[in-house]
């Protein structure tokens, strides 16, 4: 696809015959995610900008593990700033933070109740949260590879939403509510959350952000950060009252995740190879897992974000 080739070249990557031979088609992506980016909450941007003088605005990133928070943050840090904030508070205060001040991974119900490290002096009410979300099927596969502080019983196949016969033999049981395998997410002690399954975790975390009406917020799709990085970065920057630093958007070619806890995470090319392949979307799931996901994934979230059932 010419569009994918142009995207890779703009990111500074060499596209040779071996890459072209394995690169998905643009139509593979549009079949899954449509032709245009989807950003939830753009209608709240004007309200946010009018609520604060420019020097007090700031954009922070949030999202569940493996949802593209680092990629969103890196795109903003490389391309967006709020000049009035830098003028008042110094050049290091760009108005862009890699996480919201209550922590990027805790649910939004922790706003005003939790303070992330190094964010003690940030007024939480002044932040525009930008929450990243990923196709739930691909996201569950990502959680299998890197579960971070989410804990659930798994031996064998993954994603394992409901126990199969082998799981039951290994002592893994479904819960009494919907038969799913419970997931616990551990945050800063003593706070933790409990969910009926990986599907339940995705539903619970994002429904909180989706249902917010008391303050402005955005929700952006990880897939759009891959396919439409310029458009999404420009929209998010403008929403928070920011200004682009360069005429052309600087893209992120390597993995935006750094540090030993992120070993094995993917850069742009690997991500395009993975997320443009519909066969990889449900890899590891049994027929019962697929039936459970179809029944319990929140249809309002799927519809609003343009995600379809396989």
């Amino acid at each position: 696809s010419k569009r994918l080739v142009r995207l890779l070249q703009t990111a500074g990557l060499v596209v040779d015959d071996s890459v072209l031979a394995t690169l998905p088609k643009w139509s593979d992506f549009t079949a899954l995610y449509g032709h245009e980016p989807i950003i939830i909450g753009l209608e709240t941007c004007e309200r946010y900008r009018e609520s604060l003088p420019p020097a007090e605005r700031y954009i922070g990133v949030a999202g569940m593990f493996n949802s593209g928070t680092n990629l969103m943050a890196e795109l903003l840090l490389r391309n967006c700033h709020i000049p009035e904030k830098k003028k008042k508070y110094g050049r290091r205060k760009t108005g862009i933070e890699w996480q919201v001040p209550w922590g990027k991974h805790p649910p939004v119900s922790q706003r005003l109740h939790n303070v992330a490290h190094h964010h003690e002096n940030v007024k939480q009410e002044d932040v525009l949260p930008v929450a990243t979300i990923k196709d739930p099927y691909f996201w569950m596969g990502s959680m299998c590879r890197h579960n971070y502080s989410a804990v659930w019983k798994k031996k064998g196949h993954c994603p394992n939403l409901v126990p199969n016969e082998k799981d039951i033999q290994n002592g893994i049981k479904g819960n009494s509510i919907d038969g799913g395998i419970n997931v616990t997410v551990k945050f800063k002690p003593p706070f933790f959350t409990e969910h009926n399954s990986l599907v339940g975790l995705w539903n619970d975390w994002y429904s909180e952000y989706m249902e917010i009406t008391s303050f402005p917020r955005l929700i952006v799709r990880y897939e759009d950060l891959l396919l439409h990085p310029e458009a999404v970065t420009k929209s998010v920057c403008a929403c928070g009252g920011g200004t682009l630093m360069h005429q052309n958007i600087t893209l992120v070619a390597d993995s935006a995740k750094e540090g030993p806890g992120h070993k094995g995470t993917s850069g742009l090319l690997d991500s395009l190879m993975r997320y443009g392949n519909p066969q990889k979307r449900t890899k590891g799931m049994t027929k019962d897992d697929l039936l459970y996901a179809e029944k319990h994934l929140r249809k309002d979230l799927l519809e609003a974000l343009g995600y379809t059932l396989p």
Side-chain angles (χ1 to χ4, degrees):
S1 169
K2 291 180 180 179
R3 291 189 67 167
L4 292 177
V5 169
R6 189 164 62 247
L7 183 67
L8 291 167
Q9 290 174 336
T10 303
L13 295 170
V14 175
V15 182
D16 56 22
D17 290 341
S18 63
V19 171
L20 288 172
T22 54
L23 198 62
K25 297 177 182 177
W26 184 258
S27 58
D28 293 331
F29 287 102
T30 58
L32 287 170
Y33 307 116
H35 294 269
E36 301 294 334
I38 293 175
I39 302 177
I40 303 293
L42 288 174
E43 73 283 355
T44 70
C45 295
E46 185 176 356
R47 176 176 148 207
Y48 174 74
R49 292 191 300 269
E50 290 180 348
S51 70
L52 290 166
E56 308 310 319
R57 299 172 189 156
Y58 113 78
I59 303 169
V61 179
M64 184 28 59
F65 314 120
N66 297 301
S67 67
T69 55
N70 290 288
L71 180 54
M72 181 75 265
E74 197 63 33
L75 283 166
L76 289 171
L77 288 165
R78 292 186 186 193
N79 296 287
C80 181
H81 67 155
I82 300 176
E84 297 90 344
K85 197 175 192 79
K86 293 168 79 171
K87 184 177 181 180
K88 182 175 180 178
Y89 295 106
R91 62 184 179 84
R92 291 191 176 184
K93 297 295 184 180
T94 64
I96 308 298
E97 291 287 342
W98 65 278
Q99 68 170 343
V100 292
W102 55 91
K104 64 177 179 176
H105 296 315
V108 72
S109 56
Q110 286 295 288
R111 180 179 181 267
L112 307 181
H113 299 287
N114 184 56
V115 179
H117 191 45
H118 295 311
H119 289 72
E120 292 83 1
N121 297 322
V122 176
K123 187 178 178 183
Q124 297 198 4
E125 296 94 326
D126 290 352
V127 67
L128 173 69
V130 182
T132 56
I133 190 168
K134 184 186 283 185
D135 175 330
Y137 290 91
F138 275 121
W139 173 79
M140 288 186 284
S142 297
M143 290 296 291
C144 291
R145 293 188 296 277
H146 302 279
N147 65 298
Y148 298 101
S149 64
V151 181
W152 72 97
K153 292 183 178 179
K154 55 182 186 295
K155 290 182 180 178
H157 83 285
C158 189
N160 56 331
L161 304 180
V162 291
N164 61 13
E165 193 173 325
K166 191 172 183 180
D167 291 328
I168 295 170
Q169 291 173 357
N170 286 320
I172 299 175
K173 298 178 181 178
N175 63 58
S176 59
I177 299 170
D178 61 14
I181 296 173
N182 288 335
V183 177
T184 300
V185 186
K186 300 176 181 178
F187 298 102
K188 186 167 69 176
F191 183 65
F192 65 93
T193 59
E194 294 182 308
H195 312 273
N196 291 339
S197 62
L198 281 174
V199 162
L201 171 55
W202 191 87
N203 285 343
D204 296 343
W205 204 98
Y206 288 105
S207 62
E208 282 195 17
Y209 265 96
M210 184 66 76
E211 291 163 5
I212 289 170
T213 58
S214 57
F215 57 90
R217 57 86 182 94
L218 298 179
I219 303 174
V220 303
R221 302 191 303 180
Y222 167 75
E223 299 78 20
D224 292 330
L225 298 180
L226 295 179
L227 302 171
H228 308 283
E230 297 98 335
V232 174
T233 303
K234 288 177 180 178
S235 292
V236 173
C237 185
C239 183
T243 302
L244 294 176
M245 293 186 234
H246 329 282
Q247 186 174 357
N248 296 315
I249 297 292
T250 301
L251 302 186
V252 181
D254 298 324
S255 173
K257 297 183 179 182
E258 296 180 352
H262 300 299
K263 187 177 180 181
T265 53
S266 300
L268 177 59
L269 179 57
D270 288 342
S271 295
L272 289 173
M273 298 288 195
R274 179 184 301 278
Y275 297 105
N277 185 339
Q279 279 72 44
K280 291 185 177 181
R281 195 175 178 222
T282 56
K283 185 178 178 182
M285 299 178 75
T286 65
K287 183 179 180 181
D288 287 338
D289 291 326
L290 290 169
L291 290 171
Y292 177 94
E294 181 177 351
K295 181 177 180 180
H296 293 287
L297 278 168
R298 280 189 54 158
K299 303 303 184 292
D300 56 338
L301 290 177
L302 295 176
E303 183 176 349
L305 288 146
Y307 293 135
T308 57
L309 296 170

